[in-house]
Amino acid sequence: MGRTLATRQGWSGGRALLRGWHRLPPPATRQHSRPMAVARAPPGGPAVPAWANQSGARDFVLLGFAHVPALRPLLAALFLALFLLALLGNALIALLPGLDPALRAPMYFFLRQLALVELCFSLDVAPRLLLTLLRPGLGVSPAACALQLLLVLSCVTSECFLLTAMAWDRFVAICRPLRYGAIVSARRCRLLAAACWLAGVPVALVFTIWLFSFPFCGPRGIRHFFCDIAPLLSLVCVDTRVFEAHVLVATVLIMFVPFCLITTSYARILAAVLRMPSAAGRLKALSTCASHLIVVILFYGTTGVIHLRPKASYSPESKQVVSLSYTLVTPMLNPLIYSLRNKEVKAALGRLCGQRRGTHIP
């Protein structure tokens, strides 16, 4: 009797369970309790902000200076000032040789090309940096990120070669002064400038296409204020040792071979200067090289740290500070260095300002 009652209760419970099962919504409308994917920072790094996951699934998010959110408005104002100074100074240096006939020497032709490279560099990096600070979480499409990396690599390569061409110009001017006009001709200067501009394009194209052919996995938060090789490599989920080896070889060829040529040129310049009989001649020769030497030290002292070891153990925050020096600070300082230490540039600026005042006098 008790067994029969228990059996009937089991059947009724089973029928109720089946009826409840049929009332459940279809599988497509059920809510699964899977854990939500959140952005996780690498071990030892600061937490990735929640807005790093709010952009499109394929978009990158620049996390530049995300570790100091309270300082974002102040940093935006500071970087905007540096950006405007870099634009104004380099635009002036680029326009001045065309406005003043006294600045038609090859040295100022190469200086004009350097100012144009710095303008391209600043226009490529600074606007995105300001957007990152003022609108955190703004997504960057892979195409836009690749274009920025392409321009950065191209500008860095062109600047390396331009600085080498400027060192060669100073070497010929001081060590071969009687043949300077024949060696450093206008046609040769134009060919050198075109080679410096174009040499960076194939190198930048190869590494940009190669890097963006890798699969990116996990959250797409780039711990930098622009798309660079090192922070992008940290998002790749396959072995990149072959790529890094090629980056190292390209860095040595593009940066340190020109640096050795510049060093050799200045060693021979110094030897020639020490053989000059008069102190005034030695001072004049050294003064024409001082500005270029300061720019070379500023440029190579910062870019070499970043590009020689793209996946080194430096923290992303320290890399951001070093990168600021050659993306904003150096482009802002170069016009000041060349204008304050060069008497001909200062004289041309004075003549230009005098002409502007004279046009307003009735």
Side-chain angles (χ1 to χ4, degrees):
M1 179 84 177
R3 186 179 300 171
T4 304
L5 180 61
T7 304
R8 289 176 180 173
Q9 288 176 352
W11 288 347
S12 62
R15 286 194 297 268
L17 182 61
L18 287 172
R19 285 194 299 269
W21 173 260
H22 288 300
R23 292 193 190 100
L24 287 175
T29 61
R30 294 178 199 163
Q31 293 182 351
H32 297 277
S33 58
R34 294 179 182 175
M36 183 180 296
V38 295
R40 291 181 176 88
V48 177
W51 41 258
N53 284 333
Q54 294 175 2
S55 62
R58 291 180 53 82
D59 285 356
F60 295 100
V61 177
L62 293 173
L63 306 176
F65 303 99
H67 58 291
V68 284
L71 295 179
R72 283 176 174 272
L74 180 62
L75 290 175
L78 175 63
F79 296 156
L80 178 61
L82 293 177
F83 175 52
L84 293 177
L85 285 174
L87 283 183
L88 179 63
N90 285 290
L92 189 61
I93 293 295
L95 292 173
L96 203 56
L99 298 175
D100 195 300
L103 300 181
R104 299 292 169 84
M107 180 176 70
Y108 300 108
F109 172 79
F110 288 118
L111 180 58
R112 185 181 194 178
Q113 304 305 313
L114 181 64
L116 291 173
V117 170
E118 299 287 18
L119 276 174
C120 295
F121 212 163
S122 300
L123 289 170
D124 181 38
V125 174
R128 179 65 64 179
L129 168 58
L130 295 174
L131 277 176
T132 301
L133 291 172
L134 297 175
R135 295 186 61 188
L138 188 66
V140 183
S141 67
C145 191
L147 179 61
Q148 187 179 48
L149 177 62
L150 175 72
L151 292 175
V152 165
L153 296 179
S154 180
C155 288
V156 169
T157 306
S158 298
E159 186 158 353
C160 289
F161 293 148
L162 272 173
L163 290 173
T164 308
M166 294 172 75
W168 169 76
D169 169 72
R170 292 297 84 206
F171 163 75
V172 177
I174 293 174
C175 299
R176 305 283 189 274
L178 298 180
R179 300 187 57 200
Y180 179 75
I183 296 174
V184 190
S185 61
R187 181 175 179 273
R188 187 166 293 173
C189 288
R190 287 193 294 268
L191 289 175
L192 267 177
C196 292
W197 276 99
L198 296 176
V201 176
V203 176
L205 269 175
V206 167
F207 284 107
T208 302
I209 294 173
W210 191 357
L211 179 56
F212 278 84
S213 67
F214 291 131
F216 296 96
C217 51
R220 294 201 168 193
I222 300 175
R223 298 175 66 189
H224 212 324
F225 57 86
F226 69 95
C227 295
D228 202 4
I229 290 179
L232 284 169
L233 275 180
S234 64
L235 304 180
V236 175
C237 51
V238 295
D239 188 9
T240 58
R241 284 177 293 182
V242 175
F243 176 82
E244 292 177 58
H246 282 80
V247 170
L248 178 61
V249 172
T251 303
V252 170
L253 292 176
I254 292 171
M255 295 187 64
F256 287 93
V257 169
F259 180 74
C260 291
L261 294 175
I262 293 172
T263 305
T264 303
S265 298
Y266 274 105
R268 298 185 65 177
I269 287 172
L270 183 61
V273 167
L274 292 177
R275 291 195 298 267
M276 291 181 179
S278 65
R282 290 195 294 268
L283 184 62
K284 182 179 180 180
L286 290 175
S287 65
T288 60
C289 301
S291 302
H292 179 255
L293 195 57
I294 293 171
V295 171
V296 167
I297 293 171
L298 285 174
F299 178 76
Y300 278 96
T302 54
T303 54
V305 172
I306 298 297
H307 294 282
L308 185 61
R309 296 176 62 195
K311 225 175 179 179
S313 58
Y314 312 125
S315 68
E317 288 72 30
S318 62
K319 286 183 179 180
Q320 290 179 43
V321 174
V322 175
S323 298
L324 271 177
S325 59
Y326 74 87
T327 55
L328 274 181
V329 178
T330 302
M332 184 269 297
L333 287 178
N334 283 355
L336 295 176
I337 293 170
Y338 279 107
S339 61
L340 293 177
R341 296 191 59 86
N342 191 297
K343 294 180 180 179
E344 292 181 355
V345 174
K346 288 192 288 186
L349 284 173
R351 287 191 294 269
L352 181 63
C353 293
Q355 289 175 2
R356 295 296 179 187
R357 290 196 201 100
T359 57
H360 292 292
I361 298 175

